[in-house]
Amino acid sequence: MQEIKFYSGENIPLELHKVRIVQKLHLVPIERRLEALYEGGFNTFRLSTKDVFLDMLTDSGTNAMSDNQLAAMMQGDDAYAGSQSFYRLEKAVQDVLGKKYLLPVHQGRAAENIIALAYVKKGSLVPMNYHFTTAMAHITDKGGQIVELLYDEAYVVNSDHPFKGNMNIEKLEEVIKRHSAANIPFIRMEASTNLIGGQPFSVQNLRDVRAIADKYGIRIVLDCSLLGENAYLVLKREEEFKNSDMATVLKTMTGLADLCYFSARKISSSRGGGMCTDRLEIMKELEALVPLYEGFLTYGGISVREIEAMAVGLYETLDETMICQSPNFIKYLVDSLYAKGVPMIKPAGVLGAHVDAMQVCAHIPQTEYPAGALAAALFLISGIRGMERGSISNQRDEEGNETYADMELLRLAVPRRVFTLSQIKYVEDRMHWLYDNRELIGGLRFVYEPPVLRFFMGGLEPTSDWPQKLMAKFKADFGESL
Ligand SMILES: *Cc1c(COP(=O)(O)O)cnc(C)c1O
């Protein structure tokens, strides 16, 4: 794709689409935002959107659809079995992801459940580049364990490594030798590794994983939820693909996996999910579970309208001008905050900008959840809702001990095609102010802790009156401004 240069020399990501449907936003006063935090247990998942100005919680199911997607929804063929909508989606999966068989499921984690049900048992070990919360929960739920095999550079916050999501090949082989291939049902590769800052892996790395998998006869399962953006960054960063296109990169990557699954809430900017494979025996093993947990094989718990939007959205993944908006906005936000001294995960990845809470809140011990505290503080002073991706998002171990996260991150998701550049500049401005006032942020403690996936519904409270003090400083600096 050709870059568009500005006469001023400024590096500005230019949208190659226009906005034709709008939704009014509300910025409520800071006093109300403070109340909302107490009502929601200082957990941004529990906020109501009526109190949220810019919703940067997630890129899941919050992306803007195109005119063509909305138009396609009108063609939804309501049928329990044999719906034409399904066949259109199946064709899109064949064309874009290059896989013959498609099994629809209601969202990404449903695929993770079914894959784990089919292949994971007590004593199983699943090597992966890095875990995703729901992927790990479904594997451990079935008695399996995971092992994460990134290279050390993945954990370096300020890096210029283009592919921090790469699997450590030497460690992978070591793990297989130590545990025996018979106990390893599959190797899981996650495109644009979500929890370390949306960091991609290279095609070459996936080829290397394939070589090991073949040597030991192990399947590769590819999590394609963020595959479009991973492919876009391959075009930008991997020499071999400099003059290639999205279609080639996508098919090259999926072609290296035995089984692919995806959350359509991300890839294809719709809602739903799916599993796809070229291998009949894998399809048969999974097929039996779909009607039990999801729905009949031609809808899998998804509305036919969403299936139509998914099919069109998959084709749009091939269009660089559509796929580049979110990663380019993220890069703009990461680079501009970094220039102001805010510690950010670098290089910029996909799905969101990630602030390094471990550094911003260096005065808050990990036992008091620095990333959760930073998320709450940013909401308080701006109405911007980010997501904690740190120790609160981790599960306790079997003995009930805390397992502290490798990284304490505040993720500011940039849903696809949703925000404008002035909104991104507001995020930059308020995060900059918060960074300059970071000493006022204090810790959090749990008052209600659910046993599984505690980050969704858990309730916390501040360890002191720091929110009130932060609010007072905000009012002193901004006066009557919201
Ligand atoms: C979101 C996500 C999932 C889970 O998908 P849902 O549709 O939210 O259930 C799995 N893997 C990755 C990498 C994701 O980003």
Side-chain angles (χ1 to χ4, degrees):
M1 193 177 95
Q2 268 180 314
E3 304 286 341
I4 294 159
K5 293 204 175 104
F6 279 69
Y7 179 52
S8 66
E10 265 185 289
N11 213 344
I12 292 175
L14 181 66
E15 299 89 333
L16 294 174
H17 56 257
K18 65 178 178 178
V19 178
R20 291 170 60 219
I21 296 180
V22 295
Q23 178 182 356
K24 188 175 158 55
L25 291 172
H26 301 275
L27 183 50
V28 299
I30 188 167
E31 289 81 1
R32 172 60 210 149
R33 300 199 294 261
L34 184 65
E35 268 173 26
L37 273 177
Y38 278 96
E39 288 165 13
F42 280 74
N43 177 351
T44 55
F45 275 102
R46 288 175 44 184
L47 292 168
S48 161
T49 53
K50 73 179 175 12
D51 297 315
V52 173
F53 177 49
L54 297 183
D55 195 357
M56 304 181 90
L57 184 75
T58 174
D59 65 328
S60 174
T62 55
N63 304 294
M65 281 195 195
S66 68
D67 47 0
N68 288 323
Q69 284 183 289
L70 289 168
M73 288 175 94
M74 300 305 288
Q75 301 178 43
D77 176 24
D78 273 306
Y80 191 89
S83 164
Q84 292 311 297
S85 303
F86 172 78
Y87 297 116
R88 282 190 276 270
L89 177 62
E90 188 182 53
K91 174 83 169 48
V93 167
Q94 288 163 356
D95 290 345
V96 179
L97 301 178
K99 297 289 187 202
K100 189 165 170 196
Y101 304 111
L102 165 70
L103 296 167
V105 292
H106 81 275
Q107 64 184 90
R109 71 200 64 185
E112 292 167 341
N113 178 43
I114 286 178
I115 294 166
L117 277 167
Y119 296 125
V120 176
K121 53 182 194 290
K122 208 168 158 39
S124 296
L125 182 75
V126 180
M128 49 183 73
N129 49 352
Y130 205 70
H131 81 281
F132 183 71
T133 48
T134 52
M136 176 171 164
H138 280 298
I139 289 166
T140 52
D141 183 53
K142 276 91 195 165
Q145 279 190 321
I146 67 142
V147 53
E148 295 167 330
L149 302 172
L150 289 170
Y151 287 100
D152 293 345
E153 63 231 11
Y155 303 101
V156 176
V157 171
N158 184 12
S159 157
D160 55 9
H161 195 287
F163 294 110
K164 288 161 85 177
N166 279 355
M167 170 89 87
N168 186 323
I169 301 299
E170 297 75 36
K171 275 200 200 157
L172 174 63
E173 185 152 24
E174 228 176 84
V175 163
I176 297 171
K177 282 185 182 152
R178 197 154 10 103
H179 291 267
S180 135
N183 297 322
I184 299 180
F186 57 88
I187 298 166
R188 176 176 173 275
M189 282 294 277
E190 182 179 307
S192 306
T193 321
N194 191 322
L195 297 189
I196 59 159
Q199 300 290 326
F201 57 69
S202 65
V203 171
Q204 188 51 49
N205 183 250
L206 188 55
R207 287 189 188 124
D208 296 342
V209 174
R210 180 76 259 172
I212 303 269
D214 285 344
K215 183 168 166 190
Y216 294 94
I218 304 173
R219 299 176 196 96
I220 295 181
V221 173
L222 179 61
D223 180 343
C224 296
S225 305
L226 305 171
L227 189 73
E229 288 79 13
N230 197 129
Y232 174 69
L233 293 182
V234 163
L235 289 179
K236 292 262 151 199
R237 299 179 185 175
E238 194 165 354
E239 188 59 30
E240 179 188 339
F241 294 94
K242 213 170 63 189
N243 300 316
S244 187
D245 53 36
M246 288 294 293
T248 308
V249 178
L250 284 168
K251 276 197 188 153
T252 307
M253 291 196 292
T254 55
L256 291 162
D258 301 284
L259 169 63
C260 295
Y261 74 90
F262 56 89
S263 167
R265 302 174 62 85
K266 286 110 180 216
I267 195 169
S268 80
S269 297
S270 53
R271 286 150 203 97
M275 305 180 283
C276 56
T277 179
D278 275 333
R279 291 178 46 184
L280 186 63
E281 82 282 7
I282 293 184
M283 199 274 280
K284 288 286 166 206
E285 280 159 345
L286 301 176
E287 186 188 59
L289 295 163
V290 173
L292 185 58
Y293 290 95
E294 300 300 312
F296 188 73
L297 291 166
T298 55
Y299 74 90
I302 322 168
S303 102
V304 288
R305 267 157 285 282
E306 293 289 348
I307 288 178
E308 295 283 357
M310 201 190 300
V312 175
L314 276 177
Y315 285 114
E316 287 176 2
T317 306
L318 300 174
D319 181 347
E320 257 185 84
T321 68
M322 294 296 250
I323 208 82
C324 73
Q325 192 257 350
S326 172
N328 288 353
F329 269 40
I330 291 163
K331 183 169 183 337
Y332 182 87
L333 181 57
V334 168
D335 291 347
S336 53
L337 278 173
Y338 184 74
K340 294 187 161 58
V342 182
M344 304 295 295
I345 295 288
K346 296 228 332 165
V350 314
L351 92 99
H354 295 73
V355 186
D356 181 14
M358 206 91 98
Q359 281 188 67
V360 176
C361 300
H363 56 290
I364 303 176
Q366 248 186 319
T367 51
E368 293 182 12
Y369 312 118
L374 185 60
L378 181 65
F379 172 73
L380 176 64
I381 62 108
S382 67
I384 297 162
R385 167 160 78 163
M387 186 193 289
E388 193 266 5
R389 293 276 78 159
S391 295
I392 296 177
S393 300
N394 264 23
Q395 323 208 80
R396 286 178 183 267
D397 68 13
E398 277 147 34
E399 280 84 51
N401 300 310
E402 284 273 4
T403 58
Y404 292 103
D406 299 315
M407 293 181 141
E408 295 285 343
L409 305 180
L410 165 59
R411 183 180 86 184
L412 301 171
V414 180
R416 296 159 186 84
R417 312 183 290 215
V418 169
F419 293 131
T420 62
L421 200 59
S422 58
Q423 290 170 333
I424 295 291
K425 290 205 79 76
Y426 173 79
V427 179
E428 177 195 327
D429 185 76
R430 290 302 191 262
M431 189 62 224
H432 182 198
W433 181 88
L434 186 59
Y435 181 67
D436 286 347
N437 289 279
R438 62 191 177 280
E439 292 301 326
L440 291 170
I441 307 170
L444 297 176
R445 62 177 161 245
F446 268 106
V447 287
Y448 163 63
E449 189 180 333
V452 235
L453 298 174
R454 63 183 184 174
F455 60 93
F456 281 134
M457 291 311 290
L460 300 104
E461 64 182 11
T463 53
S464 69
D465 63 349
W466 66 260
Q468 287 75 11
K469 293 200 171 113
L470 187 63
M471 181 167 84
K473 180 65 173 25
F474 179 88
K475 294 183 82 141
D477 285 3
F478 288 95
E480 287 310 300
S481 167
L482 296 168

